Amino acid sequence: MTPRPESSGSRPKGTAGEKIPEQPTAAQKKSAAKKTAVPKQAAAKKATAPAKKAAVKKTAATRSPATKATAKKAAPAKTTAKKAVEKKAVAKKAAPEKATAAKATAEKVAATKATTEKTTAKKATAKKATATKATATKAVAKKATTKKAVAKKATATKAAATKTTAAKTTGTKATAAKPPAKKATTKKAPAKKATTKKATAGDNTAGNSTAAQAQTVPPEMELAVSPAVGSADRDRLLNGTHHNPHSVLGAHPVPGGIAFRVFRPYALSVTVVAGEVRTELQNDGDGFFSGLLPLREVPEYRLLVEYEGTVLDTEDAYRFLPTLGDLDLHLIGEGRHEELWTALGAHPMTHQGVTGTRFSVWAPNALGVRVAGTFNFWDGTGHVMRSLGSSGVWELFLPDIGEGELYKFEITRPDGSKTMRADPMARRTEVPPATSSVITSSGYEWSDAEWLSRRAEAPAHEAPFSVYEMHLPSWRPGLTYRQLAEQLPGYVKNLGFTHVELMPVAEHPFGGSWGYQVTGFFAPTARLGTPDDFRYLVDSLHRAGIGVLMDWVPAHFPRDDWALAEFDGRPLYEHADPLRAAHPDWGTLEFDYGRNEVRNFLVANALYWCEEFHIDGLRVDAVASMLYLDYSREPGQWTPNEHGGRENLDAVAFLQEMNATLYRRVPGVVTIAEESTAWDGVTRATHHKGPSGFGGLGFGLKWNMGWMHDSLQYMSHEPVYRKHHHHEMTFSMVYAYSENYVLPISHDEVVHGKRSLVSKMPGDWWQQRANHRAYLGFMWAHPGKQLLFMGQEFAQGAEWSEAHGPDWWLLDPGYGAEAEHRGVRDLVRDLNTVYRATPALWRLDTDPAGFEWVVGDAADDNVLAFLRLDPEGNPLLSVSNFAPVVRPDYRLGVPEDVPAWHEAVNTDAAAYGGSDVTNPDPVKPEAQPWHGRPASIRLTLPPLSTVWLRPA
């Protein structure tokens, strides 16, 4: 970091004792306007020696000479000036200034006498000169009269407001000072106003305070004001609490020219370069630099900023207009900005013809916001953001800053303390455990147009939909997004899955959370590569014909003090009520779904993943915890809604809006709810009200958690006891068509002591694998879509661990039991192949016309048989025998219009590691009624198996 130079103290001020120029003659008055444009060097030659020295050392920070009347009344005028500049004067300069004042007073008295003799021809002038002399004599002995004291005060005020730069226009200033003095003697109020104007000359309102005078006084009569930053603004900028730094810093028209103000901590000097003009600004201390150039308009300019050992040639960040318009701010305030990620965050761009990065952040409770990053050595002091009105949005365009730079926002909380925060809208982050945001933009060119054009041909609930759920970092540990793109599509395609579901890929600090405690909602985790690398993976899967679903977590977020929790010093993204904010299960915070900007943040985030990364669907995590105010809470720990109920009305409205917006904007997308209760209408359209009075939530699919729990409970029993739990396998059909369901065997079922799927099964190793295969066959035939977590496709015996992922060594040909594991994987491939080729298994998944029981009450036999039908009536017969015995000639009723049946899948086949009890020949119906049907067939049912038969 460039070391900070010693402070030069407060900006130097002019005093009432500075040398006074001679009273201009009539000819000088006539040419005063021309003299305002005299270059600085020429003006300096005409100045007296002390004035010239002050112009060199103080550039534009010292005040102009006083008028002749002020010189004659030096004692009271000096007192008035001293009071005005008392806080900013440097103590060590007091003695020299007094000596200069004494010398200047003597010289001015002589100059006054000479001027008076030249003007004796005019009676009015002679009278005035006499009065002036008398006043000067009186000033040494006693106070002037009240009116003349007021006149002196007004004159001294205007003189003190003038800069050393005004030496270029000495004649003009002396002439201009006289009429206001006469005006001031009329009454006391204008004199007070002049004094106030002097005190605020360096403030950001200086231009406005002299507007009336600028309209009435010709340009050549204008009085220059101090360009230095006023004390109030100076303190706010240094403390990081300024709401509008652009009104102070940069270049601003003021009386006397253009004021340039620059805030560059640690800089040794700052030079303004405007075309051929190079002007070094006055160093006002603490990183502030200022100067007044005698220009009519703000020029195109750059800054040369000298630090120790280097000079930076750059644009002035405070010369740019806001990069966000009124429409953006209006939509953000309403919570309707559907492309919020394009408005907030860090965006490389070209603004007003200059390349740089636009930073913007929502922090309505902040006293001030600054940007810190690698580009300013993590010191945001000089990069103060401006507040864009009541929107709560802060913005700053930084020129010459581009991709790859790290940054955070330094926020001053309402209590004055400061916090350094990652960007909530960051689209790229550092690799954890580092927490900085990274400036990024995408140049990725997609190649999945064909996939996108086809994915909307049929809704998900009427199409084949089998999902391979996976945790990207641990599927093949150590692989990047691009390396995964070389292996994953081929593997999933070979197994026949239609989709992959990625556990949360949004950035998260703790790997053990598997991505479910998100801190970077708009950034794919940097553990595996860049955002464009992730795009490449999605693109590769699409080109292989595989859809991409992603777990999305809008239910809660962690409490990390660099992320969203109390982002600007007060509850912002979380609910203000502590009972509503704290999530009771995970130690996290719940979003405030009733706040427009928070709802907008989440809705836009859902759109972001689908539009920017071509994600085909979102599986929404922990929906139940969002819907109920009393979720995991005891009585007294929650407050009922306005109707006295336990439903979270804000969350309901948010989910409805999210789904409606996503389906409207992204054709072919699907949303899937992980909702574990009997909430009415999870997959019903939002505009259709149900019995409870609520409209539907608008999801496309819902995880069938009831089926999963019941069926796994049944399978965990020894076969001899299963007849007592037969209803656990049939109950799902009571409500199978109440929602559009997915049947999930997810990561949640194979961790934390729950054991892997095959290990849940009873019996020895052979029986466990047989049960495992039979269960998968039953699952794929049951109404609903399928989801299987990685590792379960080849019967991994150990629980999943994010540290090392699936046990791929089980498929190593050198391993003795490799064939048994590979057989299960081959079964999964064949189930998916037949499934995708058989519309009866998916076309009417949500229609009762697509399912018929053959036998659902054979509890003593542990047998379940049913028909699946497509819209044309073409059937598939599924028969499961969950007993460890062979059942020969098992009679089942079937439709009479099918001439013969043949096996499509038999989970007991030798190729899958079974005992190879099969029905190799077509099975013809007999005219014997059975199970209420006019015809029947006789089958040999293998032990612990599921058999699929299709018309031959």
Side-chain angles (χ1 to χ4, degrees), residues 124 197 702 872:
K197 196 176 295 182
K702 171 184 173 177
E872 288 71 38

Short mmCIF file of all heavy atoms in Angstrom, two decimals, residues 124 197 702 872:
data_model
loop_
_atom_site.label_atom_id
_atom_site.label_comp_id
_atom_site.label_asym_id
_atom_site.label_seq_id
_atom_site.Cartn_x
_atom_site.Cartn_y
_atom_site.Cartn_z
N ALA A 124 -18.94 63.62 -5.56
CA ALA A 124 -19.40 62.42 -4.82
C ALA A 124 -18.23 61.56 -4.41
O ALA A 124 -18.17 61.06 -3.28
CB ALA A 124 -20.37 61.61 -5.68
N LYS A 197 -22.83 33.30 3.95
CA LYS A 197 -22.36 32.82 2.65
C LYS A 197 -20.87 32.52 2.69
O LYS A 197 -20.38 31.56 2.12
CB LYS A 197 -22.65 33.89 1.60
CG LYS A 197 -22.57 33.39 0.17
CD LYS A 197 -22.96 34.46 -0.81
CE LYS A 197 -24.39 34.85 -0.67
NZ LYS A 197 -24.81 35.86 -1.64
N LYS A 702 -44.16 -31.95 -7.11
CA LYS A 702 -43.92 -31.95 -5.66
C LYS A 702 -43.31 -33.28 -5.27
O LYS A 702 -43.74 -34.34 -5.75
CB LYS A 702 -45.24 -31.74 -4.91
CG LYS A 702 -45.12 -31.93 -3.40
CD LYS A 702 -46.48 -31.81 -2.71
CE LYS A 702 -46.35 -32.17 -1.23
NZ LYS A 702 -47.62 -32.01 -0.50
N GLU A 872 -54.03 -44.04 -25.12
CA GLU A 872 -54.68 -44.93 -26.08
C GLU A 872 -55.06 -46.26 -25.45
O GLU A 872 -55.59 -47.15 -26.14
CB GLU A 872 -53.74 -45.18 -27.27
CG GLU A 872 -53.58 -43.99 -28.21
CD GLU A 872 -52.75 -42.86 -27.58
OE1 GLU A 872 -51.77 -43.18 -26.86
OE2 GLU A 872 -53.10 -41.68 -27.79
#
